[in-house]
Amino acid sequence: MGKPWSRAGAGGPVALAVLAAGLCAGAQDGVERWLAVAALAPAELGADLLIRAAGPGGPVKGNQGRTRLLSVAFELAGRAVEPYPKLGRGQDLGESRAAYVAYSAGAGVSRLAIQCRVVRGFLGVDPGAARLYLEKFR
């Protein structure tokens, strides 16, 4: 069984964005296009896309657009299926949900992991907002 998520396969969410961008060709600017693409994906992947787009090397420039993407990513993270990483012995569980949950723990797709990434993203854009979002953790 292959791992459904892995850090080595980080191009997966970006590839999803590139494919979906054609569907969003009517969007007016880059920020709206990324928000539309994120809406097409599951919450975890949508949040990942927005965090990557708002990152220092990402395609969205300008603090206002990056702030908007990061705030939406934080909201999407709140809808993540797993609230925190659940470690387990995935290799011993075969083709089961528990195995996939164990594999996903290393990929950082839990609510807590994604929200932490958003706060780290805000540190480079608006440290005050990073503090506010840190206080919103649940």
Side-chain angles (χ1 to χ4, degrees):
M1 170 175 74
K3 293 182 182 179
W5 301 280
S6 70
R7 291 185 192 266
V14 176
L16 174 66
V18 170
L19 291 174
L23 299 173
C24 305
Q28 293 300 318
D29 66 1
V31 173
E32 294 302 320
R33 179 169 292 154
W34 282 101
L35 291 173
V37 169
L40 296 173
E44 296 89 340
L45 292 180
D48 181 66
L49 288 170
L50 296 180
I51 293 167
R52 290 174 190 269
V60 175
K61 307 298 181 206
N63 286 347
Q64 186 176 8
R66 291 171 67 192
T67 299
R68 180 143 183 246
L69 291 183
L70 289 170
S71 63
V72 172
F74 193 88
E75 292 174 21
L76 287 174
R79 290 187 267 168
V81 175
E82 298 298 329
Y84 54 88
K86 296 178 183 173
L87 302 177
R89 297 177 51 132
Q91 67 274 14
D92 296 337
L93 299 174
E95 294 280 337
S96 66
R97 184 183 190 301
Y100 285 108
V101 169
Y103 286 133
S104 72
V109 294
S110 67
R111 179 184 327 147
L112 180 63
I114 296 169
Q115 287 177 337
C116 286
R117 288 180 55 209
V118 170
V119 170
R120 279 193 300 267
F122 267 120
L123 287 174
V125 177
D126 183 0
R131 172 66 184 209
L132 292 174
Y133 278 94
L134 187 61
E135 293 174 358
K136 290 183 181 183
F137 274 38
R138 51 183 170 110

